[in-house]
Amino acid sequence: KASLQPDTAISEAVLPKRDVHFRIVGGSWVNVDLDGREVARSQMNRFKLNLSHGRHKLRFSNPYIYPKDMVFDVTATDPAEDLIIGPLESRPAQLRVLECPDNVIVEIVGTDIRRLVNKATRDEPIRIPLAAGASTTEHEIVVRDRNQTVVHRTRLVFRPGEEQVLAVPVKPL
């Protein structure tokens, strides 16, 4: 038995649009693209969109999270409940070491991250882990020379999707 799918143009003309309710979990906000076109900005918690019947692709995004896509059908009865968005995955924070002596070790205290910084690695940002669900994470950054002597120490606050820059003063000879 074949199932007939209504032509989108006909279904929009004949069937009324209906409100579809969404709920964001994880405490973030999103911009919403519907079928490739932005339809809402800075939505939080619960929101609704008035959608035509048929299949839709939504993309939820902001600069601090990885985009999340959702494909679903709108009919006279579906979706019957709120569509849940989330949990949304934060983009990593990054640390870029721009100025420092060659061959130093940059350590992110409280993590397993230790990076040798020299001419070959200087342009590669260091990805910084963030506490789950946290909007900011503070880390102590320790820079050691090849003799393991601490040459610089600082604390930086990291946010999802953002980059911090570290400049280590070079001591004159």
Side-chain angles (χ1 to χ4, degrees):
K1 185 173 170 181
S3 129
L4 297 175
Q5 294 291 328
D7 181 321
T8 304
I10 295 171
S11 68
E12 286 182 8
V14 175
L15 300 172
K17 290 184 174 185
R18 63 179 287 249
D19 287 340
V20 177
H21 296 263
F22 299 88
R23 185 164 45 108
I24 302 170
V25 296
S28 192
W29 59 271
V30 295
N31 296 323
V32 184
D33 290 348
L34 170 66
D35 301 325
R37 182 175 49 91
E38 185 176 88
V39 294
R41 295 188 59 74
S42 303
Q43 298 299 308
M44 296 179 70
N45 302 322
R46 290 177 183 262
F47 65 96
K48 68 181 176 183
L49 296 174
N50 190 258
L51 300 176
S52 60
H53 288 243
R55 177 157 288 202
H56 295 285
K57 178 180 179 185
L58 289 178
R59 171 166 276 206
F60 305 97
S61 64
N62 75 38
Y64 311 108
I65 62 167
Y66 288 110
K68 185 169 185 83
D69 294 331
M70 176 185 284
V71 176
F72 61 95
D73 294 312
V74 175
T75 68
T77 57
D78 287 325
E81 299 178 352
D82 288 0
L83 293 176
I84 306 297
I85 307 159
L88 301 170
E89 183 181 355
S90 294
R91 292 181 185 271
Q94 298 186 114
L95 174 64
R96 188 172 297 273
V97 183
L98 291 184
E99 297 177 22
C100 72
D102 271 342
N103 300 315
V104 296
I105 301 289
V106 175
E107 177 185 354
I108 314 303
V109 177
T111 74
D112 294 334
I113 299 173
R114 291 173 51 93
R115 168 82 64 84
L116 173 66
V117 177
N118 56 32
K119 290 176 186 169
T121 63
R122 192 178 317 271
D123 290 335
E124 298 172 20
I126 301 169
R127 290 180 173 239
I128 307 297
L130 301 170
S135 60
T136 63
T137 301
E138 186 174 348
H139 285 289
E140 181 177 18
I141 313 298
V142 174
V143 181
R144 299 176 192 276
D145 65 15
R146 63 184 76 155
N147 299 319
Q148 296 298 311
T149 303
V150 174
V151 295
H152 188 72
R153 182 184 305 263
T154 189
R155 294 189 76 75
L156 294 174
V157 174
F158 295 93
R159 291 174 183 80
E162 292 185 2
E163 181 177 272
Q164 290 281 10
V165 175
L166 179 65
V168 179
V170 178
K171 294 183 180 172
L173 297 175

